[in-house]
Amino acid sequence: MRLGPGAFAASCVAIEVLGVAIFLRGFFPASVRSASPTGRLAEPAAPEPLAGASSNWTKLPLPLFSKTVIVLIDALRDDFVFGSKGARYMPFTTYLMGKGPSHSFVAEAKPPTVTMPRIKALMTGSLPGFVDIIRNLNSPALQEDNVIRQAKAAGKRMIFYGDETWVKLFPKHFVEYDGTTSFFVSDYTEVDSNVTRHLEKVLKRGDWDMLILHYLGLDHIGHISGPDSPLIGYKLREMDGILMKIYTALLTKERETLSPNLLVLCGDHGMSETGSHGAASAEEVRTPLVLVSSAFERKPGDIRHPTQVQQTDLAATLAIGLGLPIPKNSIGSLLFPVVERRPMREQLRFLHLNGVQLSRLLQENVPSYEKDPGFEQFVMAERLHGNWVKLHLEEDRSGALLNLGTKVARQYLGALKTLSLALSMHVAQYDIYSMAVGTIVVLEALTLLLLSTPQVLHRRAELEVPLSPPVFSLLFYLVFLVLSAIHVVVCTSAESSCYFCSLPWLAAGGVMVLVSALLCVIASALARMVMDSTLLWKSAAHPCSGWSEVGLLLLLGTVGHVLSLGASSFVEEEHQTWYFLVSTLCLALSQETCRSYFLGHNNELPHCFHTEPGTVGATSVHQDCFACEAPKAGQMDKAPCPSGTHRGHARWAVLAGPWLVLACCRLLRFLNHTGVQGAHRPDLGHWLTSTSHKMELSCLAALSLLVIFMLAQRGCSPVSKVALALGLVGVFCYRASIGNLLFPWQPANRGISNDSAMGRACFCYALICSAPVAAYIILVTSLRYHLFIWSVFSPKLLYEGMHLLITAALCVLFTATSQTSHTRAWMKTGAGNQ
């Protein structure tokens, strides 16, 4: 079958898209979802189990808390609250966790650790996927069942202030809201002040049931200057004051209503050592979760240490505390310390509701749910719960009832933990079979495209695709039968759901036919290519090597580097691959250069390469081989150069080139250690940027600028030389004015005052802006006398010169003014805050 280049390329692209779609469907498996429609909010609650009869408790329990305040601090790491920084900058919160009525947890957030997926996890109890990273930029309305939707359906009045992501996820859910944007990262003051300014007025009112506050300032500080910035302590102290104000207001309302309220302090994600987030490091996934309420009063000597929980557990806990149904897709379990002070019947009722919800979710998403250990534990706990309820209704007050209730609670807790873990593993499980099928389709299409590239480069070329012979060949039917057998074995033995197995047999068979046909076409193309190359080699008058050692090294290095990007560890340490490849290439070039200069044909010195067009290898590396004649027919690929062509210094310069590159690579490698494995090691960059070696850095910077000037000024006019010199001096002055470098007359141990820094910054701005003025003056004075007279009286040139002078003066004035105002503003806000 003959295809034009356009049709062939379109076919390959369509096959590639099909393969990528199958691969992505396996790589990003479908999330755990309930089969019941999301719009059905008024589903009846599961009845209380009772042995031999039906229970009279068929409704949801009453709310445990009257009002709930959720304070979400963006990028709040666990050590900011539980570590030394929390003890230093958040004394009130530390007191509440140590001696107050509270329960503290370390909530683990699953990646991706960005804001929008974490909010969804907190309110739905489900695990968002990596596709939510894209949606984080423009969050659509959340259609999944969540605590906010259940609260609105129950008639609760909710107020929100903070990150506008909440308003986008839950539109028309809040009776009052004020959203702040999160993309002005440099603002860490007003973005929180816009939240706090509503607080005093709202806390005095009583017309709300839930208040949600999302503060962004801490996250912005982390992005600007990292977790070790002095501004972190200032922001934590500010948040501690806000928590104290909220807790005091809630206590006042409790005295009026005689019902407990709940204060929740949490973070959506953590913060890495560089101030960013999004990955899965311990600093990014560990967040604090503190629940404060008068219902959690502790006895004397009761010491409560933070325990490890999942971030998805908050949704189920909030739903139980507010008297709401648990979200259908939640995989979290109830935080038992919240209800451990309640009567035993209520405790078991709460645990049973959570177990029913998790077991239903497991049944709807896992085919072999009956074999799951968590489901078996739940069935056993439900049976024991029924026996306990029967004894309780018979008013049995013996100690056996209390012991049985404690046993049932432990059984429920174990079942909830196992069910939650099983659902989490189901969400994070890759569909290996679908990924393998998609990878095979993509690789086959790519191989066919690469094999056919030389034939389709011409615009009017027609490609002969050997389709008919392979389809009816024995190889095609053999491959198709093998793939069908593998498909049957995998789909019948797989315990978990597989997307490719869920496809109709006609669609799966079509994909297997495509894979078999592509394999046969590739085999035919390879066979034809081998035969053509063999005939060409036999018919050629002079055999040629084709690929040189350097060319093979470049090809293998490129293929190896591409393959290394398939593993995350090699991606994090990609620089190590480049170090190895560059060093190997330099050694190979050195060997090739020595061979070309000292090991000529028949041991004749010297020789030079003559490379045909299209040959991969070391090409014209000799600048002195201009007179080398092309080899005549019947000669080898090298031709002797005329005597005296190579000069000694040029020869040794070329030989020293690869070794000089090796030395520079080694110096650059020591200059800055990077990657996960070597970022903590000391290097030359850290040594130079330390305060004790600022003079060495200044000398190195001055030497570098001087080298730049010496290399760039060759062949330049006097005007360009002066302008370049002024610009480079201005660069050094600017770096010295902001404290990165030192002037020659400045002591190394003396700091820079604000007034001095402002004056020097204005000076360097003026120096840089005066470069065009000096260039114009030198240009005018360097001309001859009569040209100078003519240029002065030439209206056009005179106008351009005046325009240049006025522009330069305005630039100097503007930069000086802006620098002065910026420095004063910094002294007023930043320095004062610190």
Side-chain angles (χ1 to χ4, degrees):
M1 183 176 66
R2 293 183 178 272
L3 291 177
F8 176 74
S11 303
C12 289
V13 170
I15 297 173
E16 291 275 357
V17 170
L18 175 63
V20 170
I22 297 176
F23 176 84
L24 292 180
R25 185 57 180 80
F27 188 76
F28 298 116
S31 302
V32 174
R33 292 290 182 267
S34 175
S36 59
T38 306
R40 296 177 58 186
L41 298 175
E43 291 185 359
E48 185 182 40
L50 179 61
S54 59
S55 172
N56 56 357
W57 195 353
T58 58
K59 296 182 180 181
L60 286 173
L62 296 176
L64 303 179
F65 309 104
S66 176
K67 295 183 182 298
T68 302
V69 179
I70 301 176
V71 180
L72 193 153
I73 303 176
D74 211 294
L76 184 65
R77 285 187 355 186
D78 61 329
D79 59 337
F80 287 173
V81 177
F82 303 132
S84 59
K85 291 184 179 179
R88 180 179 179 183
Y89 300 113
M90 304 184 74
F92 179 75
T93 306
T94 303
Y95 167 78
L96 287 180
M97 295 185 300
K99 300 181 180 180
S102 65
H103 291 291
S104 304
F105 308 92
V106 177
E108 181 182 355
K110 299 296 183 181
T113 50
V114 291
T115 299
M116 194 273 286
R118 294 300 95 217
I119 295 177
K120 291 177 62 176
L122 288 170
M123 293 295 105
T124 64
S126 60
L127 293 179
F130 279 89
V131 71
D132 289 312
I133 296 179
I134 303 175
R135 296 179 179 177
N136 186 60
L137 303 177
N138 186 19
S139 307
L142 183 60
Q143 303 298 329
E144 191 176 348
D145 189 18
N146 56 81
V147 176
I148 301 297
R149 175 179 295 194
Q150 295 284 1
K152 182 184 178 184
K156 296 186 180 296
R157 298 172 59 86
M158 295 172 288
I159 299 177
F160 170 76
Y161 302 115
D163 187 1
E164 62 182 0
T165 305
W166 289 77
V167 182
K168 297 178 181 179
L169 286 174
F170 310 106
K172 300 180 182 180
H173 285 72
F174 304 108
V175 295
E176 183 179 329
Y177 62 89
D178 185 11
T180 58
T181 180
S182 60
F183 287 99
F184 292 102
V185 183
S186 59
D187 174 27
Y188 53 84
T189 302
E190 295 298 329
V191 70
D192 287 346
S193 299
N194 289 332
V195 178
T196 310
R197 63 191 176 100
H198 303 281
L199 195 56
E200 186 174 356
K201 178 182 63 176
V202 172
L203 291 176
K204 292 180 179 179
R205 291 157 42 188
D207 57 345
W208 53 272
D209 301 299
M210 181 184 294
L211 174 63
I212 302 176
L213 308 174
H214 189 153
Y215 287 93
L216 292 168
L218 187 67
D219 179 66
H220 291 185
I221 293 174
H223 285 297
I224 294 174
S225 53
D228 297 325
S229 171
L231 296 174
I232 293 290
Y234 164 76
K235 183 57 66 174
L236 292 178
R237 188 177 290 111
E238 177 187 350
M239 296 294 104
D240 190 62
I242 293 172
L243 291 173
M244 183 171 61
K245 180 185 297 185
I246 297 174
Y247 179 72
T248 305
L250 291 180
L251 284 182
T252 304
K253 290 185 178 297
E254 286 184 4
R255 299 189 185 99
E256 299 174 357
T257 59
L258 300 179
S259 59
N261 298 321
L262 177 64
L263 171 61
V264 180
L265 170 64
C266 61
D268 54 347
H269 52 75
M271 182 188 302
S272 67
E273 292 300 327
T274 60
S276 61
H277 54 86
S281 64
E283 294 80 8
E284 295 172 85
V285 301
R286 293 171 61 90
T287 62
L289 176 60
V290 182
L291 307 180
V292 184
S293 175
S294 59
F296 305 150
E297 289 290 344
R298 66 178 73 192
K299 299 179 181 178
D302 185 6
I303 301 176
R304 302 172 181 176
H305 298 286
T307 57
Q308 185 85 19
V309 297
Q310 297 296 319
Q311 198 180 54
T312 51
D313 297 339
L314 182 61
T317 305
L318 283 178
I320 293 296
L322 298 176
L324 305 173
I326 300 176
K328 301 182 180 66
N329 300 324
S330 172
I331 63 173
S333 58
L334 172 67
L335 299 176
F336 187 69
V338 175
V339 298
E340 63 182 355
R341 295 293 182 88
R342 307 295 298 180
M344 180 60 70
R345 188 178 185 183
E346 292 187 18
Q347 295 182 28
L348 299 182
R349 175 62 170 161
F350 296 145
L351 295 173
H352 177 255
L353 289 174
N354 196 185
V356 169
Q357 180 263 326
L358 290 178
S359 61
R360 287 179 180 175
L361 196 61
L362 186 73
Q363 295 178 34
E364 295 169 355
N365 291 273
V366 179
S368 57
Y369 67 91
E370 295 179 351
K371 301 179 181 179
D372 187 83
F375 186 79
E376 295 176 352
Q377 291 181 14
F378 173 72
V379 173
M380 184 179 298
E382 194 174 29
R383 188 182 302 113
L384 293 176
H385 188 189
N387 295 331
W388 185 92
V389 173
K390 182 179 180 181
L391 293 176
H392 177 75
L393 294 179
E394 292 176 357
E395 297 184 356
D396 186 353
R397 296 294 181 265
S398 62
L401 183 65
L402 179 61
N403 295 333
L404 180 60
T406 305
K407 181 180 179 181
V408 173
R410 286 199 304 264
Q411 189 78 13
Y412 267 134
L413 290 175
L416 293 179
K417 185 177 180 179
T418 309
L419 286 172
S420 178
L421 181 61
L423 290 170
S424 301
M425 293 178 62
H426 180 76
V427 173
Q429 186 177 8
Y430 294 110
D431 188 354
I432 303 298
Y433 183 48
S434 300
M435 293 172 60
V437 173
T439 303
I440 292 173
V441 173
V442 170
L443 291 179
E444 286 185 340
L446 181 61
T447 304
L448 183 61
L449 184 63
L450 292 177
L451 292 176
S452 307
T453 298
Q455 305 178 31
V456 298
L457 289 179
H458 195 271
R459 181 178 300 177
R460 298 183 179 181
E462 289 187 353
L463 182 68
E464 180 69 24
V465 181
L467 185 59
S468 298
V471 169
F472 298 101
S473 65
L474 180 62
L475 177 62
F476 170 77
Y477 291 108
L478 181 60
V479 173
F480 178 74
L481 290 176
V482 171
L483 293 178
S484 300
I486 293 175
H487 182 73
V488 172
V489 171
V490 171
C491 294
T492 54
S493 62
E495 297 182 357
S496 60
S497 59
C498 176
Y499 170 73
F500 196 70
C501 293
S502 63
L503 293 177
W505 277 98
L506 185 61
V511 175
M512 287 183 283
V513 167
L514 177 63
V515 172
S516 304
L518 287 176
L519 183 61
C520 294
V521 170
I522 291 173
S524 300
L526 286 175
R528 178 176 299 179
M529 183 178 297
V530 171
M531 294 175 60
D532 293 344
S533 61
T534 304
L535 293 176
L536 181 62
W537 182 78
K538 291 181 178 180
S539 61
H542 311 287
C544 57
S545 60
W547 289 86
S548 67
E549 295 178 357
V550 178
L552 289 175
L553 177 62
L554 288 173
L555 178 62
L556 295 178
T558 303
V559 174
H561 177 245
V562 172
L563 293 178
S564 69
L565 297 179
S568 60
S569 300
F570 283 101
V571 173
E572 295 168 352
E573 306 292 338
E574 185 182 0
H575 54 284
Q576 301 288 352
T577 305
W578 282 111
Y579 291 152
F580 174 77
L581 292 178
V582 171
S583 301
T584 308
L585 180 61
C586 288
L587 292 175
L589 286 176
S590 178
Q591 179 186 3
E592 198 80 14
T593 306
C594 292
R595 182 182 301 168
S596 63
Y597 275 102
F598 296 103
L599 299 177
H601 184 61
N602 295 330
N603 294 329
E604 295 179 5
L605 293 176
H607 289 82
C608 67
F609 279 120
H610 175 80
T611 307
E612 296 291 342
T615 304
V616 181
T619 56
S620 54
V621 295
H622 317 298
Q623 300 178 356
D624 296 325
C625 286
F626 298 104
C628 291
E629 296 180 357
K632 299 180 182 179
Q635 296 180 355
M636 298 296 291
D637 197 34
K638 298 177 183 178
C641 295
S643 60
T645 304
H646 292 290
R647 298 188 182 129
H649 67 278
R651 177 187 303 176
W652 292 108
V654 173
L655 291 176
W659 298 99
L660 182 61
V661 174
L662 275 176
C664 292
C665 290
R666 188 63 187 89
L667 179 62
L668 291 176
R669 187 173 183 176
F670 181 67
L671 180 63
N672 184 19
H673 288 300
T674 182
V676 178
Q677 302 296 331
H680 62 282
R681 299 175 183 173
D683 50 30
L684 186 59
H686 289 84
W687 185 81
L688 287 173
T689 54
S690 61
T691 56
S692 59
H693 301 95
K694 192 173 292 186
M695 182 58 69
E696 289 82 354
L697 179 62
S698 303
C699 295
L700 181 60
L703 181 60
S704 302
L705 294 176
L706 181 61
V707 172
I708 292 175
F709 176 77
M710 297 301 296
L711 294 177
Q713 59 88 27
R714 296 179 180 179
C716 295
S717 62
V719 178
S720 301
K721 292 180 181 180
V722 173
L724 177 63
L726 289 175
L728 294 177
V729 172
V731 170
F732 186 89
C733 293
Y734 172 74
R735 288 298 175 182
S737 64
I738 62 176
N740 293 339
L741 302 176
L742 294 176
F743 287 107
W745 57 85
Q746 181 181 350
N749 57 354
R750 181 182 176 183
I752 300 177
S753 63
N754 293 329
D755 296 335
S756 177
M758 181 176 62
R760 292 175 183 177
C762 296
F763 168 73
C764 74
Y765 276 113
L767 186 63
I768 295 176
C769 294
S770 63
V773 180
Y776 179 76
I777 295 175
I778 296 176
L779 175 63
V780 173
T781 56
S782 63
L783 296 176
R784 294 183 180 179
Y785 178 76
H786 59 280
L787 293 179
F788 172 73
I789 298 299
W790 172 251
S791 64
V792 172
F793 290 95
S794 174
K796 182 178 180 181
L797 191 57
L798 181 61
Y799 171 77
E800 293 179 354
M802 292 300 297
H803 182 268
L804 184 61
L805 288 173
I806 295 174
T807 304
L810 290 177
C811 289
V812 172
L813 180 62
F814 173 75
T815 52
T817 305
S818 62
Q819 183 69 17
T820 303
S821 60
H822 177 74
T823 307
R824 289 176 178 173
W826 175 83
M827 294 171 61
K828 182 179 180 181
T829 58
N833 292 335
Q834 294 183 30

